Amino acid sequence: MAGKIDFNALYASMIDLTAKEEVFDPSGSIILDAVISDGRGIPRGIFLELAGESGCGKSTMCLHIARRYCAQGKRVIYIDTESGLNGNQIDCFKMRDYVNEQLFVPVRLQTYGEVDEFLCKVLEDKDVALIIYDSITATVPGKLTEKNVDEMNEPGVAARLQSNFMQKFKARFKNSDKTVIFINQLRTKIAMGYGQVTKLAQAGGQALGYYMDVRLMMKKVKMLEQTLPGYEKPVPYGADLMVWADKNRYARPLLKKVLTVHFGKGISNAGAVRSVLEFHGIVERVPRKGYRVKFKDEEIMVPKDEIETFIKDNIQYYVQLADSLGGIKLVQESDDEEVLDSDTELSTSDLQDSDDL
């Protein structure tokens, strides 16, 4: 006769990491923290996809996040398969000292095999907190590097490799505290049949989405411009991006917020406050004149190039005002009723953490 099963002991041995309290690391952006986890930050040990149009600031955002991690003494690995990261960006983000201290480790790889071999070694490094993969869709199957262009006629080879890669590393990373951010691109999927709609879709195979814990989508709302000496027309210096989670296990998905990126500098938290104030009419754009701004009991005209500087100079007042109006602005659909995020408050300390934003 079989012995009696001790179910209490059995269940205790089977309880996995999901029963543990979640740990979050601030991203350095009040908008990203709000979209990902209702303001708590980036959960440790997750797979996060960041997808957007080309040139909208995905790498800039990741370097901003990396700087925040490094400032806390955490090691960041930056896998660059696009050969896009350069010394100028490292210097602009003030990351040179972190590179010398090996807190920020940029690695240039090309094929899935190279990334596979490297990540297997990185898993053993307990000091690594964040891995940024820029980008998985630019990673090349090894066999294609050995062939002539005319011989590359194997359909779906990249998608199959990506599926195998994600399945392997999701299983290996699930018990680690290492967060992985996958940068991806949104590309135009043209309607080819009756009833279909042309839309933006993530590049690469479907497997990438299956294994993500959080999938963030970005789309340009408007370009931010400034007047520079010697130029007849205003020159873009950043962009307002609409950001939402297409899939999210840590907060409600599909709520859209506005995030401001300054090219070559990072994410502007002051820009987030400006978006709230514009939404409620506290800051109003006046064509060819600048901005009409309500400050206490007065209305002040502020030049277009100086609006965020003005907000930063009076940040305490405007943070309190923005919070009283409901918090970070949500982007409305054209026919939707107004929805405000009243649960996420703006933090003055977070706003002042960034060196030059």
Side-chain angles (χ1 to χ4, degrees):
M1 181 176 177
K4 186 177 180 180
I5 299 176
D6 184 350
F7 284 102
N8 289 334
L10 174 64
Y11 298 151
S13 66
M14 296 298 292
I15 292 176
D16 63 13
L17 295 176
T18 60
K20 292 186 177 180
E21 184 177 353
E22 297 286 349
V23 180
F24 298 83
D25 294 304
S27 67
S29 165
I30 55 177
I31 298 294
L32 285 181
D33 289 349
V35 172
I36 295 171
S37 61
D38 290 333
R40 292 170 290 176
I42 301 176
R44 287 187 187 174
I46 70 164
F47 279 15
L48 187 153
E49 178 186 0
L50 182 61
E53 303 164 280
S54 177
C56 70
K58 299 184 295 295
S59 297
T60 295
M61 292 172 60
C62 285
L63 287 171
H64 182 104
I65 296 170
R67 182 174 62 183
R68 181 62 180 261
Y69 272 72
C70 291
Q72 299 174 28
K74 299 171 183 176
R75 180 169 291 162
V76 177
I77 306 293
Y78 195 102
I79 299 175
D80 180 18
T81 61
E82 293 186 341
S83 300
L85 185 65
N86 57 61
N88 180 64
Q89 289 174 299
I90 290 174
D91 291 333
C92 285
F93 279 86
K94 303 178 182 178
M95 303 282 282
R96 183 66 62 183
D97 288 342
Y98 296 137
V99 173
N100 295 336
E101 297 168 7
Q102 294 189 354
L103 283 176
F104 183 72
V105 184
V107 180
R108 187 164 289 180
L109 303 174
Q110 184 180 26
T111 68
Y112 280 102
E114 293 172 348
V115 176
D116 184 347
E117 182 180 358
F118 178 72
L119 285 180
C120 287
K121 297 175 182 177
V122 167
L123 273 171
E124 301 175 6
D125 186 351
K126 296 180 180 179
D127 295 330
V128 173
L130 176 65
I131 299 170
I132 298 172
Y133 193 162
D134 186 8
S135 68
I136 189 167
T137 50
T139 311
V140 182
K143 61 170 63 178
L144 295 186
T145 64
E146 303 168 1
K147 294 184 177 182
N148 184 279
V149 174
D150 293 333
E151 299 173 341
M152 296 181 185
N153 57 358
E154 296 184 50
V157 61
R160 292 197 302 273
L161 269 176
Q162 187 181 105
S163 178
N164 294 336
F165 176 87
M166 294 302 302
Q167 186 174 11
K168 172 182 178 179
F169 281 97
K170 183 66 173 182
R172 297 197 65 177
F173 271 80
K174 69 178 181 179
N175 291 330
S176 77
D177 287 333
K178 303 182 192 328
T179 300
V180 186
I181 297 178
F182 296 86
I183 296 180
N184 198 1
Q185 286 191 4
L186 291 179
R187 297 176 182 173
T188 303
K189 186 176 182 180
I190 300 175
M192 300 297 290
Y194 179 77
Q196 296 182 358
V197 179
T198 298
K199 61 181 181 180
L200 289 174
Q202 297 96 316
Q206 296 293 326
L208 187 62
Y210 297 155
Y211 293 99
M212 292 297 121
D213 298 292
V214 179
R215 303 177 70 189
L216 294 185
M217 308 291 116
M218 299 190 307
K219 186 177 180 181
K220 292 178 186 175
V221 176
K222 68 177 180 180
M223 299 298 294
L224 304 177
E225 300 177 333
Q226 62 184 161
T227 303
L228 296 177
Y231 290 84
E232 294 182 0
K233 296 182 179 180
V235 179
Y237 69 90
D240 279 347
L241 308 174
M242 182 166 57
V243 181
W244 70 97
D246 188 48
K247 172 184 178 182
N248 197 344
R249 293 174 177 170
Y250 298 89
R252 179 181 171 185
L254 303 177
L255 294 180
K256 299 176 181 179
K257 301 179 184 287
V258 171
L259 178 146
T260 300
V261 170
H262 289 180
F263 301 139
K265 289 187 176 182
I267 301 168
S268 172
N269 284 321
V273 179
R274 173 182 54 78
S275 295
V276 178
L277 301 178
E278 282 189 285
F279 182 68
H280 291 282
I282 307 300
V283 172
E284 183 180 358
R285 179 80 169 89
V286 180
R288 295 183 297 277
K289 291 184 179 180
Y291 286 89
R292 182 183 295 113
V293 183
K294 296 179 183 178
F295 181 65
K296 298 183 179 179
D297 297 326
E298 302 180 32
E299 284 194 355
I300 303 171
M301 285 301 302
V302 178
K304 182 176 65 174
D305 298 345
E306 300 176 13
I307 181 61
E308 289 192 15
T309 301
F310 179 81
I311 291 174
K312 284 189 287 185
D313 290 343
N314 301 281
I315 195 66
Q316 186 68 43
Y317 171 78
Y318 283 118
V319 166
Q320 293 176 357
L321 179 58
D323 279 339
S324 70
L325 294 170
I328 300 170
K329 165 192 178 251
L330 299 183
V331 177
Q332 299 180 65
E333 297 292 353
S334 57
D335 295 326
D336 285 353
E337 63 181 355
E338 178 179 340
V339 182
L340 298 178
D341 182 4
S342 58
D343 297 328
T344 304
E345 292 188 352
L346 304 178
S347 166
T348 307
S349 59
D350 283 342
L351 287 165
Q352 294 174 339
D353 265 348
S354 189
D355 295 335
D356 50 4
L357 297 181

